[in-house]
């Protein structure tokens, strides 16, 4: 069944990689094997989704894997990887940028700076793709994708192109209207004119804050939990005495308690056990349920 599917995907121009270790495609460096489908254009992506639909084959979507926890036993369904094969970035007019979904956020922020466009500095240093950032409404230091996305071209579950405006995307905190099965193919970003030197110096300042505050020397998926209304997840975890707490190879970072780090040999099971332990401890001590921001996919998820 999969053999025929993969043959058709290859015939359509996609690259198919079977039994890829997801640990090599996620910032956590965790996860078993999966089959990756790599389109190199919007047309190929749409064709791939149509082929999946014809075979009634469910699938996942992967960007830079920086917000994902993948099961140790891997992922049964094929994964459409919006990779650097789909990462073109271009100036659309004097204040809008068009980018394919696989472009790195930091690269697009850098491109904006080079064109003296301000408004995207917040995204510099977030290690995701544009597509993943739209899905998650990624944000930092007072900015978020909701504030800069004008519209997005999305492939729906039938392989049809949809043009979604900022309103259609219905952004809220770490949320958008993009459902499982929909794929962000390209995004139009609207910025304002600014001074290149000022833009670059603000980007460097934000990057320095990341380096100072975040355990960037360890694999992680960034902040594990969403910010509960009126609180900071990291502060609650720290106040619960959990800094440094470790299960297997997964530990609460000493530098930023909102991060779980992989100390070298962490498994998905270690991270899930640690997440449950943190949630139970924080609930017991402060009566607050920490909701996961990172997404767990794969067998058993
Ligand atoms: C060190 C570190 C720091 C971080 N700092 C921040 C931060 O400051 N702010 C913040 O918001 N996040 C932060 N993150 C989390 C992460 O970088 C963001 O959530 C990012 O937007 C995820 O993008 P991605 O391409 O890696 O998505 P992935 O992790 O690959 O996927 C995340 C979700 O988006 C979906 N997806 C990905 N691409 C597409 C696409 N093209 N179309 C449809 N669905 C897609 C996936 O199916 C999945 O559900 C951090 C992570 C790390 C490791």
């Amino acid at each position: 069944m999969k053999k025929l599917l993969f043959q058709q995907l290859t015939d359509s121009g996609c690259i198919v990689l079977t039994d890829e270790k997801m640990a090599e495609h996620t910032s956590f460096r965790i996860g078993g094997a999966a089959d990756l489908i790599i389109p190199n254009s919007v047309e190929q992506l749409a064709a791939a989704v149509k082929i999946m639909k014809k075979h009634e084959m469910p699938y996942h979507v992967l960007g830079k894997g920086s917000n994902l926890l993948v099961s140790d036993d891997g992922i049964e369904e094929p994964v459409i990887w919006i990779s650097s094969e789909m990462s073109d970035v271009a100036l659309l007019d004097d204040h809008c940028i068009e980018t394919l979904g696989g472009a790195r956020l930091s690269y697009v922020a850098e491109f904006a700076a080079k064109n003296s466009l301000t408004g995207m500095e917040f995204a510099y240093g977030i290690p995701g793709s544009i597509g993943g950032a739209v899905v998650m409404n990624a944000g930092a230091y007072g900015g978020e994708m909701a504030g800069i996305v004008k519209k997005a071209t999305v492939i729906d579950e039938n392989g049809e192109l949809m043009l979604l405006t900022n309103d259609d995307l219905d952004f809220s905190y770490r949320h958008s209207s993009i459902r499982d099965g929909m794929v962000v193919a390209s995004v139009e970003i609207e910025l304002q004119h600014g001074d290149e030197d000022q833009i670059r110096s603000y980007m460097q300042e934000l990057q320095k804050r990341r380096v100072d505050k975040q355990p960037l020397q360890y694999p992680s998926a960034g902040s594990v939990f969403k910010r509960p209304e009126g609180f900071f997840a990291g502060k609650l975890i720290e106040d619960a005495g959990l800094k440094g707490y470790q299960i297997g190879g997964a530990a609460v970072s000493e530098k930023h308690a909102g991060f779980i780090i992989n100390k070298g040999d962490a498994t998905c099971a270690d991270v899930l056990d640690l997440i449950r332990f943190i949630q139970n401890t924080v609930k017991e001590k402060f009566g607050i349920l920490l909701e996961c921001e990172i997404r767990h996919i794969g067998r058993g998820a």
Side-chain angles (χ1 to χ4, degrees):
M1 167 77 175
K2 270 194 182 168
K3 215 173 155 198
L4 179 62
L5 172 74
F6 291 164
Q7 188 56 55
Q8 290 183 359
L9 287 162
T10 308
D11 292 345
S12 76
C14 291
I15 299 167
V16 177
L17 301 176
T18 54
D19 275 334
E20 276 289 299
K21 283 197 190 96
M22 289 303 288
E24 286 167 15
H25 297 282
T26 58
S27 58
F28 241 143
R29 297 279 169 260
I30 289 173
D35 300 323
L36 299 182
I37 319 297
I38 310 171
N40 78 11
S41 67
V42 178
E43 294 70 29
Q44 266 184 24
L45 168 62
V49 171
K50 281 189 176 146
I51 293 169
M52 298 287 198
K53 168 92 180 165
K54 200 172 81 189
H55 286 259
E56 292 179 21
M57 177 62 79
Y59 55 88
H60 292 277
V61 183
L62 172 71
K64 298 285 176 215
S66 64
N67 206 44
L68 284 181
L69 177 62
V70 176
S71 298
D72 299 316
D73 293 336
I75 307 174
E76 186 165 352
E77 302 81 15
V79 177
I80 298 181
W81 183 19
I82 307 304
S83 69
S84 54
E85 295 284 323
M86 277 184 64
S87 62
D88 291 354
V89 181
L91 206 56
L92 208 56
D93 58 35
D94 66 345
H95 65 294
C96 288
I97 292 172
E98 185 169 51
T99 152
L100 292 185
R104 276 190 310 117
L105 270 180
S106 289
Y107 178 82
V108 183
E110 176 71 34
F111 181 89
K114 204 162 73 188
N115 287 284
S116 304
L117 292 173
T118 181
M120 201 177 165
E121 295 89 332
F122 74 89
Y124 189 68
I126 300 179
S129 65
I130 285 286
V134 168
V135 173
M136 299 302 303
N137 186 19
Y141 306 114
E144 56 179 11
M145 295 306 287
I148 60 169
V149 172
K150 191 171 176 194
K151 51 194 173 193
T153 302
V154 174
I155 308 294
D156 72 9
E157 299 88 336
N158 300 314
E160 303 299 337
L161 254 70
M162 299 164 70
L163 195 61
L164 300 184
T165 62
N166 184 295
D167 277 351
D168 298 330
L169 287 160
D170 194 25
F171 288 118
S172 59
Y173 174 64
R174 300 296 174 267
H175 166 88
S176 71
S177 63
I178 308 292
R179 313 180 289 273
D180 282 354
M182 289 163 76
V183 193
V184 178
S186 72
V187 180
E188 194 177 320
I189 287 168
E190 189 168 24
L191 301 166
Q192 295 83 43
H193 288 282
D195 175 75
E196 182 175 349
D197 289 342
Q198 272 178 20
I199 295 167
R200 284 189 187 282
S201 94
Y202 187 42
M203 279 176 12
Q204 293 315 323
E205 183 193 323
L206 296 185
Q207 180 62 17
K208 184 175 180 315
R209 282 201 228 168
R210 279 182 188 276
V211 172
D212 289 347
K213 298 248 165 65
Q214 299 180 359
L216 300 181
Q217 67 276 37
Y218 288 102
S220 80
S223 296
V224 174
F225 302 102
K226 292 186 182 173
R227 200 173 52 228
E229 190 123 10
F231 298 91
F232 289 102
K235 176 84 168 66
L236 291 168
I237 298 166
E238 183 175 348
D239 291 349
L242 294 178
K243 258 192 172 179
Y245 190 85
Q246 188 162 347
I247 295 182
V252 176
S253 163
E254 297 271 4
K255 198 167 175 184
H256 185 320
F259 280 53
I260 289 179
I261 54 173
N262 177 356
K263 293 199 98 170
D265 55 358
T267 61
C268 176
D270 294 340
V271 176
L272 290 175
D273 285 348
L274 186 54
I275 287 175
R276 269 182 231 112
F277 185 80
I278 294 168
Q279 284 174 324
N280 291 340
T281 310
V282 168
K283 181 90 175 76
E284 252 168 48
K285 294 214 175 198
F286 307 114
I288 294 165
L289 178 66
L290 292 178
E291 200 190 323
C292 271
E293 175 176 326
I294 62 172
R295 297 186 174 185
H296 175 205
I297 60 167
R299 290 189 167 87

